[in-house]
């Protein structure tokens, strides 16, 4: 069983963040019937669904229904969002039984002061309400190594709104039960035109996770934004056969021996972080 599967319910986003690779694929949202196929195919293969590769999941009008469908089938749903639509859609997410929400606060950097404070206030009020229920909320600041970040200002703004212990740990800050702030390094997305990084890599793709793009394309990891490593299509092919294809097995076995078998992986600096 896989630790998690990334399900891109939409590749459409309402922002253009400087750190995001983006994609050139046709705009697509999964239909209800397509998402049902995904859930049926993933039965027995994982318990945890992460609703992103590209795209902002809160732009999908059927997201609350998707969350309810997944919960009814025993899946735990994790959402990563830029947080800009939480004021409109946050209540529905909580009521639909979302298990965890990661909010990328670094998505809204460099905005004007009034808009930035409005955004932070809306995110904080949502995080406060959601975390007092059954939803885990993680506020992400994945911008280590970037100049002129606003992290200190953000923390100062949030502290009066989000009451708690605010204790440091290796990942960031624990504000209280089910509410956390998490640090992270900014990374470069792999790209076919990126610099060659070498064959020696290690990745958990195909070992504990894989991804499904909005059009059903199965990819080995959550950083394949363009679907360059197309292992097959879940909407037309059997998922078990896709995951056990010679190409998929070669990727997995290659990573096990710290060797990249795909050109995209040879250009992934992120995969070099895990070389042991």
């Amino acid at each position: 069983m896989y630790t998690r599967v990334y399900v891109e319910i939409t590749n459409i986003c309402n922002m253009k963040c400087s750190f995001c690779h983006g994609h050139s694929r046709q705009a697509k949202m999964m239909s209800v019937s397509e998402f049902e196929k995904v859930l049926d195919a993933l039965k027995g293969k994982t318990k945890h669904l992460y609703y992103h590769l590209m795209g902002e999941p809160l732009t999908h009008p059927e997201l609350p229904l998707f969350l309810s469908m997944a919960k009814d089938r025993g899946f735990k749903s994790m959402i990563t969002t830029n947080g800009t639509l939480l004021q409109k859609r946050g209540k529905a997410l909580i009521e639909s039984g979302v298990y965890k929400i990661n909010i990328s606060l670094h998505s809204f950097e460099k905005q004007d002061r009034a808009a930035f404070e409005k955004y932070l206030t809306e995110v904080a009020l949502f995080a406060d309400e959601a975390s007092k229920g059954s939803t885990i909320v993680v506020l992400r600041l994945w911008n280590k190594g970037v100049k002129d970040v606003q992290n200190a200002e953000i923390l100062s703004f949030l502290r009066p709104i989000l009451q708690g212990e605010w204790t440091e740990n290796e990942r960031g800050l624990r504000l209280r039960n089910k509410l956390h702030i998490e640090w992270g390094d900014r990374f470069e997305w792999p790209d076919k035109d990126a610099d060659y990084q070498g064959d020696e890599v290690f990745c958990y793709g195909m070992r504990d996770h894989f991804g499904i793009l909005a059009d059903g394309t199965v990819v080995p990891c959550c950083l394949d934004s363009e679907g360059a490593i197309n292992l097959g299509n879940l909407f037309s092919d059997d998922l078990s056969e896709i995951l056990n294809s010679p190409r998929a097995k070669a990727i997995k076995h290659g990573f096990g021996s710290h060797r990249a078998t795909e050109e995209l992986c040879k250009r992934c600096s992120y995969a070099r972080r895990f070389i042991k």
Side-chain angles (χ1 to χ4, degrees):
M1 182 175 286
Y2 293 86
T3 303
R4 61 196 182 279
V5 174
Y6 294 89
V7 181
E8 182 191 73
I9 61 172
T10 178
N11 60 23
I12 298 168
C13 190
N14 63 330
M15 293 187 70
K16 292 184 178 180
C17 300
S18 60
F19 59 84
C20 181
H21 181 278
H23 68 89
S24 60
R25 292 178 282 130
Q26 182 177 355
K28 165 72 176 171
M29 288 190 176
M30 276 191 189
S31 67
V32 174
S33 61
E34 288 172 338
F35 185 69
E36 191 165 28
K37 287 182 181 178
V38 170
L39 296 181
D40 290 342
L42 292 179
K43 184 178 180 181
K45 291 183 171 59
T46 190
K47 286 290 185 182
H48 298 90
L49 307 181
Y50 285 67
Y51 292 62
H52 68 280
L53 275 91
M54 289 282 101
E56 166 55 54
L58 270 67
T59 63
H60 200 302
E62 301 292 354
L63 177 58
L65 175 60
F66 285 4
L67 294 172
S68 296
M69 290 169 62
K71 184 177 181 181
D72 289 345
R73 288 165 173 77
F75 293 101
K76 292 183 178 179
S77 295
M78 309 353 178
I79 288 177
T80 295
T81 174
N82 58 43
T84 56
L85 300 175
L86 285 172
Q87 185 182 38
K88 294 180 179 179
R89 310 210 64 194
K91 183 178 180 180
L93 298 188
I94 297 172
E95 293 175 348
S96 299
V98 61
Y99 180 75
K100 181 181 179 181
I101 297 183
N102 301 307
I103 306 171
S104 300
L105 297 182
H106 49 278
S107 299
F108 214 72
E109 292 173 335
K110 311 305 180 185
Q111 304 294 325
D112 71 77
R113 178 76 181 188
F116 191 45
E117 290 189 356
K118 180 177 183 293
Y119 164 78
L120 288 178
T121 300
E122 291 173 357
V123 168
L125 291 176
F126 169 82
D128 186 55
E129 179 183 358
S131 61
K132 287 178 179 177
S134 59
T135 302
I136 299 169
V137 181
V138 177
L139 306 177
R140 287 179 171 178
L141 289 168
W142 283 17
N143 52 15
K144 282 186 177 180
V146 180
K147 294 181 179 180
D148 302 323
V149 297
Q150 298 170 277
N151 293 359
E153 180 183 356
I154 290 171
L155 297 180
S156 178
F157 187 89
L158 293 177
R159 189 179 286 270
I161 305 174
L162 298 175
Q163 300 295 317
E165 57 195 66
W166 286 71
T167 55
E168 292 189 28
N169 55 48
E170 61 181 12
R171 296 182 65 89
L173 294 167
R174 183 185 190 276
L175 277 58
R176 59 173 185 257
N177 185 39
K178 298 182 180 177
L179 182 56
H180 307 266
I181 291 176
E182 182 180 87
W183 317 129
D185 295 315
R186 186 163 295 184
F187 59 88
E188 295 295 327
W189 291 73
D191 185 275
K192 63 181 179 61
D193 298 321
D195 292 338
Y196 176 75
Q197 299 289 326
D199 291 5
E200 186 183 7
V201 300
F202 181 80
C203 179
Y204 291 97
M206 297 308 303
R207 296 171 66 84
D208 71 359
H209 72 272
F210 62 92
I212 303 168
L213 300 182
D215 66 355
T217 299
V218 178
V219 294
C221 87
C222 62
L223 295 183
D224 189 354
S225 61
E226 294 286 4
I229 309 175
N230 183 341
L231 300 176
N233 193 290
L234 178 148
F235 296 154
S236 58
D237 307 317
D238 181 79
L239 181 59
S240 293
E241 292 182 4
I242 293 173
L243 298 176
N244 288 289
S245 67
R247 187 179 186 184
K249 286 184 175 180
I251 294 170
K252 179 179 178 180
H253 294 157
F255 288 147
S257 57
H258 291 194
R259 180 176 57 87
T261 62
E262 298 284 342
E263 286 302 312
L264 186 69
C265 303
K266 297 174 185 179
R267 288 165 172 74
C268 181
S269 60
Y270 191 80
R272 298 185 64 81
R273 296 183 179 190
F274 305 107
I275 296 176
K276 299 177 182 178

